[in-house]
Amino acid sequence: MNDTDSADMSDDDDFGLDNDLTTANSNEQTPIIIEDLTTAIDISVPEELQQFDSSKFAQDLLSKVGTSDFQTCLYQHWRRYTPLCYTYHPNLVKGMIELRAQDILFRPLEIFLYGTQDTENAIQTIKGLNNPPTVCGHLFKSEEPTYFCRDCCVDATCVLCTECFLQSEHRKHRYKMNVSAGGGYCDCGDTEAWKQDVHCALHKPKNDQEQDNNDILERLPNLLKIRAGLLFEVLLNFSVQLLCCGDYQETPVVLRNDDWDGNHDRYVTMLFNDEIHTYDQVIAVLTRSISCSKQEGHEYASVVDREGRTAVRCGNLEQCQEVQQMIMHHTVDIPLKCRVYPKCFVSLQYFAQKLMLYMQEVIAISDGFRRLFCLCEMNAKDQLTLTERILLAENVLWKSAKSVLHQIFINSFFMDSEWKKTFAILYMKNYSTIWRNYVKDHDEYVSFTDLSVQVYTVPSLARYLISSHNAFQTIVEAFLEYCRKKLNCMYIKRIVYIPYRSLTVILFSFEAQEKLLFLRTTTSMVQNEFRRAQSILYDLKYLLGIVPTQYTPELRENFLNGFTSFLRLLSYMHGMDKVVRQVGQHIEFEPEWETGFNIVIKIQTIIQSILEWCSQDPELSQKAYVKTGETLASMQQNSDISHMIKKDASPIVKISVHDHKIECYSYDVQKDPISVHIPVARLLAAIYIHLQRYTDPTATFHNLCQQYKIYPCFFYEEALRIQVLSAQHIAGLWRRNGYSLSNQLYFYSNIKCRKEMYDRDILALQIGASLTQPNTFLVQLLHKFGLLEWVRSPENGYSTETETKTREKVRIMEEFLHLLIIILGERYEPYVGQVMKDEKLKREIIHQLCTGPLPHSELVRNFTDSGQEVGTVDLESVLKETADFKKLSHTSKGHYELKNDCLIDYNPFYYHYTKADQCRSEEYVLKRRKILGLSSLLLIPSPPAFYDSFQSIIQLLQCDIFLTLIKAVLHRTIDQKAELWSEAILIRALHLITLALFEEERSFHKQQTLSSNVSSHNFQFCENSQKYGIEKLLTQLTTATKAETCKEFVSHILKSFNKFNEKQNVRDEQSSSLTVSQDFTNDTNKKAQKEKRRKELAAQKRAKIIAQMTALQKNFMEGNKDLFDEAHISTGNDSLSPSLPSSLIATPVLLGTESGMTESMDTNFPEELYAKERTNQVFQSCLGTTDLDLSSQTNLILTCIFCQENSEVRLNSDAIVLPAYIESSRTLSKNRLRKIENPDTFDPSFMSNDLYWGIHVSSCGHAIHASCWIKYHDSVLIQDQRRVLRMRGATNYDVERGEFLCPLCQTLSNTVIPVLPYLRSFAGDIKLTPPQMSYKDWLDGLEKALNGSIESRYEDESHEEQLFFNPCPLSSITKMMAETVAFNFQLLFGFAGGSKVQEFSDSIRERITTFGRSIYTLGLNVDPDDDNDRVPTILWTSCAYTIQTIENLLRIDSKSILSPLPLRQTELISALVKVAAVNGLLHDIDKIKKHCLKLLSVLLPSRVRLQVPSLSDVDLFHLLVSLCFTIPILFTNEIPRFAHVAIGNLNDLYLMRLILTAHCLQILSSHNFIYQQDQNISESLNSDTINTDDDEEIEAINSVVQRIVQSQNELISIECTDVNEHIGQSILPNDGKQIIERLCHDKYTKKLKWFMGDNVWYMCQRETLTLKLPKYRAITTDCSKNSEFNSAIFNECRSNQSCQTSSQRLLSGRALREKLKLSLLPLLRCSAIFYHYLTGIAWPTISTTALPDSPSEYTMICQYLGLPNCLSKILNQNNDNNLNDLVNSLTSSDTITSRDQINTVPLIYPMEVNELYPLPKEYIDLMNQVSQGVAPYKYARDETRSPCICLICGEIVVRSSQTNRQTSVSSLVTTNHPEANLGPCYLHTLRCCGSVGLYLRVKECSLLVLNITDNGRGNKARGTLIPTPYLDDYGETDQNLRRGNPLHLCEERYHLLHRRWLSHTYPEDISRNMELSASVYATNWTLF
Ligand SMILES: [Zn+2]
Ligand SMILES: [Zn+2]
Ligand SMILES: [Zn+2]
Ligand SMILES: [Zn+2]
Ligand SMILES: [Zn+2]
Ligand SMILES: [Zn+2]
C-alpha cells in the first residue's frame, strides 16, 4: 500500500492556502540518516575500551540464560560501556562518535543470540529455515518509482515495486507509474490488493507451500528460540524505556551511572525541532546564546532539522541550564524546546536507537525471529503493551527516534498478516491519542499516523475494525474534537418550541447552531494544527474505500454510529461562512473561505463512499435517510429566519398569484445571510435517489416531513437560495462583496467541488419539483428570484426603475429560465432519468469536446478531478465511441475530436458549462455543423425520459404559471416598447417550449403503445397552451422585429404545433413516423432563407473587421516602414515583400511548450533570393582567381532595428553591428576527459584535433547602428540599477557579464559584432595579372621564410638554447630564389596597396577591437588584457569553431552545404569571417608574423626541432583559417593595409591544397584507419562508380600507405594492439578499478565504463562492439568486487581485441580511397563555407539535393575550391618533397610521446558528429536504470538528490548521501563555503560538458538545461526545466509524472534537442524561459 493519494490531494486539491502555510516549514524537509551521525574518529580510544573482550562477556551472558540476572547483567554492561562507546565529538556540531561500539555493545549480543562465534554461518543456517517469501513487502523510499495496474488493482493505493513489476504480468497491462512519497510498501502477493495476477514471478508460491505458517516458530531450534525471546525482550524493553520517556529520571536506576545526577560537567543542553521557528530565527538565537558563528549555527539548525534534536552545549548543570534559559528567553513568541540531560543518558538513548536498527536487521533474517519479536512487542507492562507505549509516546519522541520505531513496526507487524490485525486493533484503540499527539506535534514529517493507510486499505481489516471496534465513529469523533475548537456559537434568534419534545432536543438544536468558523487572523500554529487534523479525513476515505458485499448487524450498527457522527460534522459545516450582500461600500476584508472548501474537497470522496455503502443495503439506506432527515429538521427549526419576520412568527409567508395561494419561505437572498455550504440537505437528496431502489421515496419523504415537522419546501429551499445568489451575482448585485464570494461561487460549480455542491443542489431542486405541485413550485422559485411580477402581470413589460436595475432584472430572468431548462432537461443522472452511468459519462465527454478538440490529459483531468469514480476503462471506451484521436505529427500532442454523429447531442444549455464554455462550444459546434451542411439552428436534443418518481416534473411544462410565464415572454417580444425583455429570454423560452413539445411527443407515443386511455399521465401542452394563446403569439412572432434572429426557431416550433394539432385530429391514424427533433432539417426553404440572411450579416461583419484591420495595419506600417523592406540586407531594390514582416519579427521561443521544440527562431531566408543568385552564375572556383567579378557585389544596405534607418555598410562611417553571444564551448569535443586546466596560461595557438575546447559565436542577425546600440545598452544598465532597487527577482540576462537582450527579438547577447562591406569591394583595386608560380615554388618560398626566421638565443641563466622567430623580410627570401620565381613571389606577397586607400572609421575600429576583446575574455574566461599575446589570434579560433558547428548541424540534418542557411546564421558567419579577415590589420604585425611562422612550422619542415604540436594532433581547419589571415601579412614591412586581406587569391588556393594534403596524411596515419574494421563501410563504398583516373588515384594512395606502414611499423605494433597489450602488461587481475581506468583511455573500451553501470544493455545497442550481451549482464549483476568479474572483463577484452589484430588486413586501395574521401569531407565542407563567405563567390548551381557525404558533393566542393578532384595530384610523392616531410613528421618519435599523454583519445575517421546519449525507448527502463544505487532518504524533496542522466556522456549524476548532508539545506542560507553549495549537475557540467549541461531528471521526468556562465570561476549558473522527449500514447509529455501513463521516446523530439544543443541555442532558450516564468525568487541553479 502506498499512500500516494494523500500526497496527491495535498499537492493539487488545496487552494494554495495550505501550501502557503507550509512554506515556512519547507526548510525542514531533510532526510533522517542515523548512520551518518558517525564521523571520522579523531579521538583516542580509552584503555578501558581497548581491553574489552567481547567473547568472554558473551559467554557470561550465555551462562545467565534462564536466570533473572540476564537483564541486570546486560544493563550493568550498558551502564558502564555505553557512555564510553558513544560520546560527543569535541566539536559538538559533529554529534556523536562511536568508539568500538560494534565490538563492545553488539558483538556480544550476536554471539549470545546464535550461541557461537561463527555467527555468519549460523545466520545462513537460520535463513535456510525460512519458507520462500510469497509477499514482497519492499518498503518504499521517498521518490522511488511505484507501479499501479489499472486493470488489476483493487484501489489506488495498491502498488508494486520495480522488481516485482518487471517480473509480473501487469507489465503487459495498462499500468501507471508514480513516484512514492516514501513509507509505503510493495503489495505483491497480497491477495486483497489484486483482482488477478497477485504474485509476481519472484514471489509465486511453490506448489507445496500452501501449508500453514503456524510452524514458523517450530522450525527454529529450541535453544535458539529461548535465547532470541529473552534477548528481544530485554532489548525492546530497554529501547522503549529510554526512548519513550519524557523525563530522564524515569530511567531505571540500574542504568544510571555516577554521572547521572550531581556536580559534574557532563551535562548537555539539547535543542529540539519545531515548526514555528525558521532557520534564520534558530540561527540567530544560537549565535546569541552559545555565541557560535553563523556557520556553526546553521549546522546546528540543520542537525535539529534532520534529527529532530541536537546538543548545543556541554558543561556542568549550571552552564547547561543557563544556555537553556537563554535560548528560551531569546526566542520570540513561543520558546524553543530545550532540555538539559546528563550525557550518559543521551548516550543510552543513542544506543537504544541503534539497537532498534539492529533489531530490524535481525528480524529480517528469519520469519521465526520476526514472530518472536512481535510477541515481545505485545508484552504488556503497566497495562500497556510495549507497542502502545511507543504509539502513545509520539510527543516525547524526536524525528530520528520516531523514524526507527516506525520502521520497526513496518518490518515486524506488517510483514505478518496475523500480527497486522493485532496491531490494527491496538492502533484503533489508541486512535484519538495518537492523532492528538500528531496534531500537536511540531515535527510532522514522520508520524505513526502514517501507519493508517497500511491498516485501513486492507478491506477485510477495515470491515473488521468497523464492525468490531467501531472504527468509523472513532475516526470521525477524533476529527470532531478539532472541529469543536473551531466552532462559533451563533446567536440564535429564536428557539423553536416543540411541545412534545424534551430538553434534550433543545440541547441538540443548540449544538446544531454551531458552525465552523475560520479566521484569517488565527496564528499559524493553530492553523497548522487544524491542517494536520484534516488528514484524519484521509483515514476515513481509506476505511470506507471498499464497499462490503455482505452486511452483518454489527457492521450496520457501527456504520450508523459513525454515520451519525459524520452527520454532526456536516451539520457543523452546514451554513458556515455565511455572507450578507454588501450595499454601499465594498467589503473591507476578504473573509476566509479556503479552509471550508478544503474540507469539502476532502469529504467529497467520503460522502461518495458512504452513499455506496448505503445503496448496497436497503436497511442501511432507510436508516441513514431518516437520520439525515432528522438532522435537517433540527436545522430547519433553528435556521436563520428572515429579517422581515418578527420573533416567534412562522417563517412561511403566503403568496397569492391569480387563484393560487402558495406558501413560501420568507427569506430574501438580497438581504439575509447566505452560505453555499449546505451538506446535510445535499446528503439527504443523494440518499433520496438511492432509496428508490428499495422503497417509494415519495412516501418516505412525506413520512419524514410529518415526523419531524419539516416544511417540505425546506428540502430545496437552501439549494434554491444558492441558485438565486448565483443569478444575482451574475447580474452584478454582489459586486461589493469582493473576491471571496466570487471564488466561492466559482468553486461551487467548478469541477473540483460541483459533484457535492452544484450537482446536488440541482438534484435537490429536481426532487423538490417532483414532490411539489407544479404551480406551487414555480411560484416559490419566482418568489425567491423576485420575479413574481412576470406572472402577475404578464402583459406589462415596462420598467419603472433605473436602467441598471432593469438590466439586472432582465439578467436574473435569463438565469431563472436557464435554471428551469436545467431542472427540466438534466436527466442524465441514473435514477433521475432513465439512463445508465456510462450514458452520463458519454454526455459529459461530448460536451467537453464540443468546446473544441482536447488532448487526452485535459480530458482525463476533467474527470478525475471531479471525484467521479470513473474507471478509466469506461472513459477509454466512451472516448473511442464519441471521438477520433488525431495527431498532426510525431512530435505534437494528439487531440480528441468529436465525431460528427455526436454533434446532434450538443446542448448549449448543458449545466456544467460556464458562460465562457457556452460561447466557445456554440461557436465550435456551429463551425462543425456548417462543414457538414447542417442548419445553424441549435436545439436542445430530446432528453431521456424521467425515472418514475421524477416523472411528475414534466407537469411544470403545462401548469398555469409556466404558461403565463411563456405568454409574458412572447407578449413582450411582440410589444416593441417592453423593456423587461431580452433576446436571451426569448431564446430560453423557446427552448422550454421545445422541451414541452418533446414531452408531448413522448406521451403521445406512450399512449399509443400502451393503447390504454390513461388520462392522468396525459401531457397536453398544445391543448393547454391554447388557453393562453401561445400558438397565436408565436405566429405573431414571425413578424415581430424583436424576434428577427429567432425566426427560424419560431417557425420550427410552429410547425411542431401544427403537427400536434393534426395528430390530435387524426389520433387514431397513428402517424408515428414523425419525430420532432429531426424535421427541421427537411425544411430547405427556410434554411436557405436563414442562411442567406446569416451570410449577409456575416459579410457586413467581415467588411467592418477588415476595415479596422487595414487601418491598424496602415498605422503600423507607417510607424515601422523600414521593417517591411525586403529582409534587411536588401540588394538595393526596395520591393515590398509581403511575406516577410511576420517572419522577421521572430516570436520568442517558449521552450516549455510544444511549439518551442521547433526552430522558430530561424527565420528562413526566402528561397527565391538564393535561386536568383544561383541561376545566373557560371560555375566559378572561389580560390586562385583574380578575376574579380564585382558586378554581383553591390553595396550592403542594412536597416537599423533601433532607429529604423537604412544605412549603407561602409568602412568609413558609423559601424553597424549585430548582437552576438560568445560562449566557450565543448560541444564538438571528442574527448570529454580533457579541458583547459588553466585559462590564464593556456596557449590557444593550435586547436587540438579532438576539438576539446572552442569558442562559439551566435547571433540573431539583427542589425543596429553602433551608436544606437550604445544608447540602448546604456538604458539597459540604468534599468538594471533600478531593478536592483526594486528588489526584483531573477533577471534573464547578467549585466555584470555584459549581457543584454536584442532590442527586437530579445535574444540573449553579450557582445556586438561589426558588419563590414564585402572584402573584395575594398581590396578590389588590386588589378593584377595573376602571378605565375607553381605550388612547389610557393611551398619552397614559405619554407625558406620559416627557416630563415628561426633564430636561437643562448639563455644565460638556464644555459639552454632558446629558439624564437624573428620574421625575416621578403627581400632576403627572394634573394634565395630563381629570378622569375622571386618576381612572382614578390608580386604575390609584396604588393603595397592601391592608390585609393580606405581607412576604418574610428567607430568600426573600436567595435572590432571590442569584439576581439570580448572573444578573448568570454571565450577563454579570463580577465580583459589588451596587451596579451593571445588577443590578436583568438578571434580566428572562434571563426573556425563556429563554422565547424554549422557544418555539424547541416550534417545531422543530412543537408548539403549548399542548402540555404537560416538568415541569422548567414548574417553571423558573413560578419564573423570579415571581422576575422581584417583583425590582423589592427594588431602589432610582429606578433601576427610570429604567429604565422609558428603555425607554418607544423606544416613545413624546419631545420631545427621546434616546440609545436605534431601534425597528427592539430585540427587543420583551425590551422587553415588562422594561416589564411596571417600569411598575407607575413612579409609586410609597413602597417598592413587592406591589400593584405585574404580574398581568395593564389595564396589561398595553395594553402588550401597544402592543408588538404596534410589532412590526407593525417587521416591515413590515424588510428587503425588503413586496416579493415568495419566490413560495412568498405562494402558500401566499393559499389561506387569508377572514373578514369581511378587507378592513378588508388596507386597514389597505396604508395603513401606503403610509406606510412613502413615508417610506422614500430608505432603500429604499439597502437593496434593497444588494449590487449596494456592489459597484458600491466594490469593486476585483482584490481578491477585499474582496468577500467586504463580502458577508459581507449575509444573502444571507453564504453566499457558504461557497462559497469546499471545501463548495460542500452550501451550495447549503441556500440558496434562485438561483445556479447548476455555475458555482460552476467558480469554486471555480480558487480565489481570479486575477481571473477575482473577476469571476465579481461577475457572479453582480450578476445575482442585479438580477433581484431589477427584479422588486421589492409583495406583494399579502392576502399581506402572512398573512406579517405569520406573522411576529408568535413574539412572540405567547412573550408567551402569559409571561402564562400570570405570571397563572396556564389555557390555552384548544382542541385541542392545532393546529399552530404556523397561523392558528388566531394567533387563539387573540390571544384568550387579550385582543387584537383583526383587525389593522385595531391598525394603524388614524386614531385612533392613536402609530402615526404609531412609523412616523416607524422611518424617521428615526437608523435608517439605526445599521443601517450594522459587524456588523449585516438580519433577515428571519418569523424562523426557528437550524438546525445541514446535513451531507451521506454521510460520505465530509464526509471529502472536509476532506481538502484540512490541514497535512501525519506520525507524529502530535494532538488539536488534526484538522479539525473547526463545526456552528453550518459553518466548517472546523483549526489551521494555524504555530501548532501552539508548542502541540502544550505540553499536557504547564504554561507561562506561556496564549494559546499555546488550541486552534482553543476559539478558534472564543469567536468564533462563545459558551459551547457543537459540532464534528464529521471524521477521528475523533466529535462534540466544548465548553463554555467563563467566556467565555474564565480559559481554563476542559470537553467531551466523543460519536458523530456518522452511522450505517452496520446502524444503528450508528462513533466513531473503527474499522469503516469507509459511513456515512449519520441525520436524526433530528441533530434530537436540534439540540434539545439549543437547549435548552441540553450543559453538563449534558458533566458527566454526565465523571462516567461518570471518568478519572484531566483532559483539557485548552482545547487542542481
Ligand atoms: Zn515488490
Ligand atoms: Zn513480487
Ligand atoms: Zn494488471
Ligand atoms: Zn540606428
Ligand atoms: Zn534580434
Ligand atoms: Zn556528462
Side-chain angles (χ1 to χ4, degrees), residues 1112-1123:
L1112 275 173
Q1113 215 165 350
K1114 225 173 183 176
N1115 285 338
F1116 181 69
M1117 301 254 276
E1118 266 156 24
N1120 306 277
K1121 189 167 170 287
D1122 300 323
L1123 262 184

Side-chain angles (χ1 to χ4, degrees), residues 857-1123:
S857 58
E858 249 170 80
L859 266 170
V860 168
R861 189 168 53 230
N862 288 342
F863 288 100
T864 40
D865 266 16
S866 62
Q868 262 167 334
E869 295 295 310
V870 174
T872 356
V873 199
D874 302 331
L875 186 67
E876 301 295 320
S877 59
V878 173
L879 267 177
K880 237 178 236 147
E881 224 176 283
T882 54
D884 301 311
F885 185 63
K886 290 191 176 164
K887 224 174 159 193
L888 288 175
S889 70
H890 283 293
T891 47
S892 71
K893 259 189 220 194
H895 283 79
Y896 280 97
E897 197 179 282
L898 196 67
K899 285 192 174 155
N900 286 335
D901 49 355
C902 292
L903 281 172
I904 202 85
D905 294 327
Y906 169 68
N907 178 352
F909 293 98
Y910 179 62
Y911 74 141
H912 285 164
Y913 276 153
T914 61
K915 297 274 173 264
D917 289 339
Q918 210 178 344
C919 294
R920 213 144 35 98
S921 61
E922 209 169 307
E923 203 175 302
Y924 177 74
V925 172
L926 283 174
K927 205 176 86 198
R928 291 280 307 268
R929 287 180 69 111
K930 197 179 169 190
I931 295 166
L932 295 172
L934 290 172
S935 124
S936 59
L937 177 58
L938 291 174
L939 288 178
I940 299 180
S942 172
F946 270 118
Y947 205 76
D948 289 346
S949 51
F950 282 90
Q951 188 56 36
S952 54
I953 296 183
I954 62 164
Q955 294 307 324
L956 284 177
L957 288 168
Q958 55 174 347
C959 72
D960 293 344
I961 302 291
F962 176 76
L963 291 169
T964 316
L965 199 64
I966 295 294
K967 183 178 150 196
V969 173
L970 297 183
H971 190 88
R972 290 173 196 199
T973 312
I974 294 157
D975 184 353
Q976 275 293 347
K977 286 179 204 148
E979 294 152 288
L980 290 172
W981 177 91
S982 76
E983 196 179 296
I985 290 177
L986 175 65
I987 289 171
R988 282 160 176 74
L990 292 177
H991 278 297
L992 281 166
I993 295 173
T994 4
L995 274 175
L997 292 171
F998 283 139
E999 290 308 327
E1000 173 118 36
E1001 167 110 7
R1002 204 192 307 271
S1003 110
F1004 182 75
H1005 283 291
K1006 205 174 171 188
Q1007 268 182 12
Q1008 282 178 338
T1009 45
L1010 286 174
S1011 74
S1012 63
N1013 263 342
V1014 193
S1015 56
S1016 65
H1017 274 289
N1018 204 351
F1019 185 87
Q1020 290 177 332
F1021 171 74
C1022 291
E1023 210 174 296
N1024 290 346
S1025 65
Q1026 298 297 347
K1027 258 190 281 172
Y1028 295 84
I1030 302 284
E1031 195 177 352
K1032 205 173 132 219
L1033 283 168
L1034 279 169
T1035 329
Q1036 286 178 326
L1037 225 54
T1038 49
T1039 54
T1041 44
K1042 270 175 160 182
E1044 189 71 16
T1045 49
C1046 304
K1047 279 210 168 120
E1048 194 186 346
F1049 201 169
V1050 173
S1051 59
H1052 164 70
I1053 290 173
L1054 277 173
K1055 273 195 70 179
S1056 312
F1057 259 99
N1058 288 336
K1059 224 171 285 158
F1060 279 113
N1061 291 338
E1062 279 166 35
K1063 270 195 217 169
Q1064 294 292 337
N1065 301 338
V1066 286
R1067 194 183 250 185
D1068 304 320
E1069 286 174 27
Q1070 299 190 358
S1071 56
S1072 59
S1073 64
L1074 290 167
T1075 49
V1076 184
S1077 58
Q1078 268 152 27
D1079 56 359
F1080 64 84
T1081 45
N1082 312 339
D1083 199 342
T1084 44
N1085 193 22
K1086 279 270 158 63
K1087 199 177 106 187
Q1089 241 176 28
K1090 166 98 186 179
E1091 185 75 352
K1092 201 177 142 209
R1093 161 123 191 94
R1094 218 185 47 74
K1095 268 188 186 154
E1096 277 169 23
L1097 278 172
Q1100 279 172 17
K1101 224 172 196 175
R1102 211 177 306 128
K1104 206 169 149 196
I1105 291 171
I1106 287 173
Q1108 277 174 352
M1109 293 278 284
T1110 10
L1112 275 173
Q1113 215 165 350
K1114 225 173 183 176
N1115 285 338
F1116 181 69
M1117 301 254 276
E1118 266 156 24
N1120 306 277
K1121 189 167 170 287
D1122 300 323
L1123 262 184

Side-chain angles (χ1 to χ4, degrees), residues 52 182 186 238 253 404 455 479 828 939 1234 1441 1761 1779 1965:
F52 183 81
C186 174
F238 169 77
V253 185
V404 282
V455 174
F479 183 58
Y828 285 85
L939 288 178
R1234 206 168 157 195
Y1441 194 83
L1761 291 174
L1779 195 69
D1965 293 340

